[in-house]
Amino acid sequence: MPLSRARLRLLVISLLTAAFLGALDHTVVATSLASIAGDLGALEHMSWVVVGYTLAATVLLPVIGKLGDILGPRAVFLTALVVFIVASLACGFSQDMTQLVIARVLQGASSAGLQLMSQTIIAYVTTPRERPRYLAIIGAAFPVAIVVGPLFGGLITDFWGWPWVFWINVPVALIALVLAVVAVPHVEPSGRRGFDIVGAILFTVAMVSLVLAVTWLGDPAAVFAVTVSFAIAAVAFAAFFVVETRVAEPFLPLRAFRNRAVSAGMALSAIIGIGLFSVTAYLPTYFQMAYGVTATVSGLVPIATVFGMLVANLGTGWLASRSGTYRPYPIIGTILGAAGLFTMSLLPVGAPLWVPMVVMFVVGLGTGSFMSLVIAVVQSAAPRSQTGSITATLNLVRQVGSTVATAVIGGVVGFGVAGRLPQAIDPSGLTPEVVRGSSALIQAEVAGIYRDVLAPVFLALSVVYALGIIAALLLPGGRLSDESPADIPVDVERVSTP
């Protein structure tokens, strides 16, 4: 039975609040890390505050998605909210780095539950045609969190102290919890089904090993650990795929990939992670080094990118719900992304800063055109009984694509710059402040090096988006259905046509 408009609005507010909290905790800690490490006396383990959160949020996505299908999304969502509140309190009260990392792992796991179940619940309570609009609203949490997270983290740390970076979550999450108890409907699970424990263990081992390997990839002292981690990941993935072909209820819905809409949507989701999310982390450094601007000014380019994502995400969600047509937006979006990144590869160092801002705004515009829309399309094409699992897989390929590509780009930039620097410049002491304080000749040389190293990266990412054009063209045509959620058949081939 469809929800009333008032209850649906309360539901969206609750889901948006929870999704924003989950997304914010990816970014809000960045400006607090130095204070946290200094206070807890563990500078060498500082990165694990971020890695632990990201690792849990990525690896546990399929587990949470499967639990949503078996137990129902309401139970998983409410549990995730409660765990998030407890983990946020534990983070702020941590007395050493070990306690903080453990609490951050719990926070990352619950954050994945908040994000994933928000998308899953929307799939259950809306028609396929309504879905893009509401998913776009919830999807807006991520780009907003990218912009405001570091700013909030810095302000809270400076004025209240770093524990409040975590404690500030508690009152907001409690409000979201009260709204969720009232507004989130009970969705009857599609029958009690088995949980593929062997597949889940193999997949978790494989993903943990893979994420750790790519995290350590740029550390020369971790060559052995990287090699072992990659080997374990390869063996575990091979065993996982063998197991998944033989069980009645596989851990991941691999059979759904036979559907063209599902496979094309997964490819588009991966392209977002590989093609844009990976490079945004390096944009500020690039513009500080190549353009000689301050850290504050260098942040304008990522902000322009995120603003483009936000505008297009909300706009295409509204348009797709209004017309029911979805296919043109991924096609246009991937073309804009490919063209924008190709233009970035050609920009000379001396170009005014507003030029790359406009270009990256276009890339963000293109990415936002299908960022949330592809979730609605894939959910509509998958069986209702696998809504949680298929949504988890979409998020997983995006996360893994971003993680792996970020590590690769970091290695290319780090080794590429170090290998090109003249002997007079020490790579370990190369900072934006040092460059700005150097002679005009040194500044020009460093700027040229960064441009020469990043240009092929932008070109490669434009090729990734060009492959995305093919994936977008492979999406089946037709319109999103107006069927009520209760009437949606369990049919893997279901994307409605006129």
Side-chain angles (χ1 to χ4, degrees):
M1 182 177 177
L3 298 182
S4 66
R5 283 293 168 189
R7 189 175 179 186
L8 185 57
R9 289 191 187 100
L10 279 178
L11 174 64
V12 171
I13 292 170
S14 174
L15 297 181
L16 177 59
T17 304
F20 180 70
L21 283 173
L24 190 65
D25 264 43
H26 276 283
T27 59
V28 73
V29 177
T31 44
S32 314
L33 281 177
S35 300
I36 293 171
D39 202 15
L40 298 182
L43 183 63
E44 68 276 14
H45 301 304
M46 181 173 66
S47 63
W48 280 100
V49 176
V50 176
V51 172
Y53 184 95
T54 305
L55 191 63
T58 302
V59 170
L60 292 179
L61 274 170
V63 176
I64 295 168
K66 192 70 174 178
L67 288 174
D69 289 335
I70 295 173
L71 304 176
R74 174 186 165 91
V76 178
F77 181 75
L78 294 178
T79 302
L81 256 177
V82 172
V83 173
F84 186 82
I85 292 169
V86 173
S88 296
L89 285 170
C91 284
F93 284 116
S94 297
Q95 299 300 305
D96 56 47
M97 191 61 80
T98 301
Q99 293 178 15
L100 180 59
V101 170
I102 292 171
R104 282 288 284 173
V105 168
L106 285 175
Q107 201 179 38
S110 57
S111 165
L114 297 180
Q115 300 263 24
L116 180 56
M117 288 300 109
S118 296
Q119 297 169 348
T120 304
I121 290 166
I122 288 295
Y124 276 110
V125 302
T126 60
T127 68
R129 181 138 172 191
E130 293 173 323
R131 204 169 293 156
R133 179 168 72 247
Y134 292 111
L135 284 174
I137 293 171
I138 293 171
F142 183 75
V144 172
I146 291 176
V147 175
V148 304
L151 176 63
F152 278 4
L155 289 173
I156 292 170
T157 302
D158 289 341
F159 288 98
W160 294 349
W162 67 262
W164 282 98
V165 169
F166 305 106
W167 289 340
I168 199 70
N169 293 330
V170 176
V172 182
L174 284 172
I175 294 171
L177 180 61
V178 172
L179 290 173
V181 169
V182 174
V184 177
H186 173 72
V187 178
E188 194 65 36
S190 303
R192 290 285 175 181
R193 295 177 293 151
F195 189 88
D196 179 15
I197 296 176
V198 175
I201 293 172
L202 287 171
F203 185 83
T204 301
V205 170
M207 284 302 305
V208 169
S209 301
L210 177 63
V211 173
L212 289 177
V214 297
T215 301
W216 295 330
L217 201 57
D219 185 358
V223 175
F224 178 75
V226 169
T227 304
V228 172
S229 296
F230 273 129
I232 293 173
V235 172
F237 272 126
F240 170 74
F241 285 112
V242 171
V243 169
E244 293 302 278
T245 59
R246 299 183 179 184
V247 294
E249 286 291 338
F251 179 63
L252 286 181
L254 299 180
R255 296 184 184 95
F257 281 78
R258 298 170 186 169
N259 184 301
R260 201 173 72 189
V262 172
S263 55
M266 292 293 175
L268 287 169
S269 189
I271 282 160
I272 294 172
I274 297 169
L276 181 61
F277 288 0
S278 61
V279 77
T280 49
Y282 301 99
L283 289 177
T285 300
Y286 172 60
F287 288 104
Q288 288 176 59
M289 292 299 200
Y291 285 67
V293 299
T294 63
T296 302
V297 174
S298 71
L300 293 174
V301 179
I303 288 174
T305 311
V306 169
F307 184 65
M309 288 170 57
L310 186 60
V311 169
N313 179 56
L314 293 172
T316 56
W318 183 81
L319 289 171
S321 288
R322 183 180 176 86
S323 66
T325 303
Y326 58 88
R327 191 166 176 260
Y329 306 113
I331 296 172
I332 295 169
T334 48
I335 291 172
L336 288 176
L341 288 165
F342 179 72
T343 303
M344 284 295 296
S345 72
L346 300 177
L347 287 182
V349 171
L353 190 63
W354 65 264
V355 175
M357 283 179 63
V358 171
V359 175
M360 289 307 297
F361 172 81
V362 171
V363 176
L365 206 64
T367 305
S369 297
F370 60 95
M371 186 174 71
S372 296
L373 183 57
V374 72
I375 299 173
V377 172
V378 172
Q379 286 178 338
S380 300
R384 186 174 185 270
S385 61
Q386 295 180 354
T387 302
S389 296
I390 207 73
T391 307
T393 308
L394 267 170
N395 285 275
L396 179 69
V397 296
R398 186 177 299 183
Q399 285 274 83
V400 173
S402 174
T403 302
V404 174
T406 299
V408 172
I409 293 172
V412 169
V413 173
F415 291 112
V417 170
R420 286 173 168 81
L421 287 173
Q423 292 184 349
I425 301 177
D426 180 13
S428 62
L430 186 66
T431 65
E433 291 76 19
V434 169
V435 173
R436 286 198 296 273
S438 302
S439 65
L441 183 62
I442 293 294
Q443 291 183 38
E445 189 168 4
V446 172
I449 289 170
Y450 267 85
R451 194 267 172 197
D452 291 343
V453 170
L454 265 297
V457 171
F458 288 125
L459 182 60
L461 296 180
S462 74
V463 173
V464 170
Y465 269 87
L467 295 173
I469 299 172
I470 299 172
L473 290 170
L474 288 174
L475 283 171
R479 296 177 185 275
L480 294 169
S481 171
D482 285 315
E483 293 170 321
S484 67
D487 297 331
I488 297 173
V490 180
D491 180 2
V492 75
E493 295 297 329
R494 211 200 70 71
V495 170
S496 67
T497 55

